[in-house]
Amino acid sequence: MKMTDFDQDGLEDFFAAARATPPPMPADLQARILADAAAHMPAARPAWHRVLWQLLGGSAGVGGLVTAAVVGVWIGVAPPANLPDLAGQVVAGQMGGTAESEAETELLTSVYGWDMEES
C-alpha cells in the first residue's frame, strides 16, 4: 500500500470526531498555567494623569498652582501702582511708541532709583 492510496475521508472523519469531543483539562493543570501566566504579566501602570495629579500634590497643590498662575497674569496685565507696567511697555514698544509717562518715570526714579533717561 502506497501513501497516496490511503483513505483520506476516513482519516478526516476520525479528526472531526476528535475535535467534537475534546478531552477535559484537569483543574490543577489549568490553575498552574494561569498562575504562571499571571506571574509573567507586567504590573499595571496607573494612568499618566493620575501620576501627574499625585506629583503636583493633589487638589491642594493644583489649587495653589492655579491661584499663582491667575495672580501672575493679573499682576502682569494690571500691575499695582508701585510696579512698572511691563506689559504696557512691551505693547507700546511693538507699536513704536513709548509706554512711559511722566508719572511712571517719576515713580520709577523715586521708588527704585532707576534712571529712565534715554541714552
Side-chain angles (χ1 to χ4, degrees):
M1 174 178 206
K2 293 182 183 177
M3 190 70 145
T4 56
D5 293 338
F6 193 72
D7 183 20
Q8 292 290 329
D9 293 332
L11 186 60
E12 195 58 42
D13 293 340
F14 177 73
F15 285 139
R19 281 191 296 265
T21 57
M25 181 182 289
D28 62 333
L29 175 63
Q30 184 176 7
R32 286 184 308 204
I33 291 172
L34 291 175
D36 187 45
H40 291 299
M41 293 291 289
R45 293 181 359 202
W48 67 269
H49 62 282
R50 291 180 197 262
V51 172
L52 181 63
W53 185 261
Q54 290 175 352
L55 286 175
L56 291 176
S59 60
V62 172
L65 285 174
V66 168
T67 303
V70 168
V71 169
V73 169
W74 184 6
I75 290 174
V77 172
N82 59 351
L83 289 178
D85 185 15
L86 295 177
Q89 291 175 1
V90 169
V91 170
Q94 289 177 353
M95 294 181 164
T98 61
E100 295 130 9
S101 65
E102 289 291 323
E104 286 180 8
T105 305
E106 196 174 299
L107 176 70
L108 292 175
T109 305
S110 65
V111 174
Y112 297 108
W114 294 348
D115 187 14
M116 298 299 293
E117 294 180 13
E118 305 238 356
S119 45

